[in-house]
Amino acid sequence: MRAVQFSEYGPPAVVRVAEAEEPHAGPGTIRIAVRASGLSVGETYIRSGRMREVVPVTFPYRTGFDAAGVVDEVGEGVTGAGIGDEVFGMTAMGERGANADHAVLAAWAPKPAAWSWEEAGGAAGSVETATRVLDRLAVGAGHTVLVQGAAGGVGTVAVQLAVARGATVIGTARERNHDLLRSLGARPVTYGTGLPARVRALAPDGVDAVFDCAGGALPDLVAIAGDPARVVTIAPDLTAAALGVHMSHGVAGDDTTAAIGAAADRLAVHGLGISVELAAQGRLRVPVAAAFPLTEAAAAHELSGRGHDPGKIVLVN
């Protein structure tokens, strides 16, 4: 089968589509014939070498951890999934390889009828990340949360999930993306110099939590939150530790030890189930910035490194 991988750190040109051995479903997992899969911004950081101190890799590194497709193998002990089912989901926490013709999923849910394959292919990683961070920040009804980088793949989903929890959401984005944020339920604000004052104007009583999807502004975000413990970043911001901000990167070992991987898999199942309910109610959509054929994975990585339209970049089989 075909699989996207890279064998060295570097620019998008190091990404290749190579022949690889097909994976097979093991106990508690399913295999799908992939229709679409997500490109994670985090993996572009890994490819560039920016995350080498945080997420060590073994080459060749096969990319992709979320995908959607049709079940073609069911592992021992699996219930509630059968051959031919249309699903979306994630590989086991800490594993990769979903940007391929076949992928083994450890967490999955039925593909919502309202979503295209492209939307479903890029949904699971954003849902898991947003759920993980919103849970860590204990975002709930009556809270005010600031989402920095709210127009990105994770940010757009985080806004909607926080709104569904009953929170008031302020989202930062370029002005051209403010109408999108309003349509998702957020109060938009432009990021950059002067952000604390602009947020204070929208939330004079302060914010309860800050979810940083973009990086590069942690001192301002800590000032807005009033406490670094109320800020979580998913960006590879090297100032996080010094500022006392938790950096959540969603691999085994994220919070304490490798044992967190199993807990994260359970979290993914929980988050995916909620996302299916919200999608059926028309309360969760997955903006897609661009869709590339699997064979053009390097071009997808290149676009991810530049400013692009809101939402998630996906690869289509």
Side-chain angles (χ1 to χ4, degrees):
M1 71 167 190
R2 302 171 301 166
V4 178
Q5 63 184 47
F6 55 88
S7 297
E8 59 182 319
Y9 294 123
V14 303
V15 175
R16 298 280 188 271
V17 178
E19 284 297 315
E21 186 175 348
E22 289 187 10
H24 293 282
T29 66
I30 61 173
R31 191 181 81 164
I32 62 171
V34 177
R35 296 290 184 88
S37 58
L39 170 60
S40 162
V41 174
E43 286 197 307
T44 69
Y45 296 148
I46 292 173
R47 185 215 71 233
S48 70
R50 289 175 62 184
M51 296 283 283
R52 69 179 73 191
E53 301 300 325
V54 180
V55 186
V57 304
T58 300
F59 295 125
Y61 178 91
R62 286 180 52 188
T63 66
F65 58 83
D66 54 356
V70 179
V71 178
D72 63 4
E73 284 186 5
V74 176
E76 181 182 355
V78 170
T79 58
I83 304 298
D85 287 353
E86 296 182 351
V87 301
F88 74 109
M90 300 176 60
T91 61
M93 194 59 60
E95 296 184 9
R96 297 293 189 268
N99 298 146
D101 286 325
H102 295 277
V104 172
L105 305 182
W108 64 88
K111 172 186 168 295
W115 288 354
S116 66
W117 282 114
E118 289 82 1
E119 291 171 304
S126 295
V127 168
E128 188 279 325
T129 301
T131 302
R132 168 169 28 96
V133 174
L134 293 174
D135 279 359
R136 183 180 180 92
L137 291 168
V139 172
H143 292 158
T144 298
V145 58
L146 172 66
V147 179
Q148 168 81 339
V154 174
T156 51
V157 170
V159 165
Q160 295 171 89
L161 293 183
V163 168
R165 293 177 180 215
T168 297
V169 181
I170 299 170
T172 72
R174 297 172 181 168
E175 191 168 348
R176 71 187 189 193
N177 295 326
H178 283 191
D179 285 345
L180 169 67
L181 295 190
R182 290 188 187 96
S183 75
L184 300 179
R187 303 179 69 183
V189 64
T190 304
Y191 55 73
T193 304
L195 179 63
R198 291 193 294 277
V199 172
R200 193 160 48 248
L202 291 175
D205 294 329
V207 304
D208 299 288
V210 177
F211 184 167
D212 175 32
C213 301
L218 284 182
D220 275 352
L221 300 182
V222 171
I224 290 168
D227 182 347
R230 296 195 302 190
V231 182
V232 173
T233 184
I234 60 171
D237 194 320
L238 299 181
T239 68
L243 292 170
V245 171
H246 178 70
M247 184 167 70
S248 186
H249 48 76
V251 297
D254 174 23
D255 293 301
T256 50
T257 69
I260 199 71
D265 285 340
R266 291 193 294 274
L267 171 62
V269 173
H270 166 67
L272 297 184
I274 291 174
S275 71
V276 171
E277 295 176 12
L278 292 175
Q281 297 166 11
R283 299 170 64 196
L284 180 62
R285 54 194 177 98
V286 184
V288 174
F292 289 81
L294 187 71
T295 52
E296 296 180 15
H301 273 248
E302 184 177 357
L303 178 62
S304 182
R306 307 195 308 265
H308 58 75
D309 290 337
K312 187 76 173 273
I313 297 173
V314 298
L315 301 175
V316 179
N317 292 47

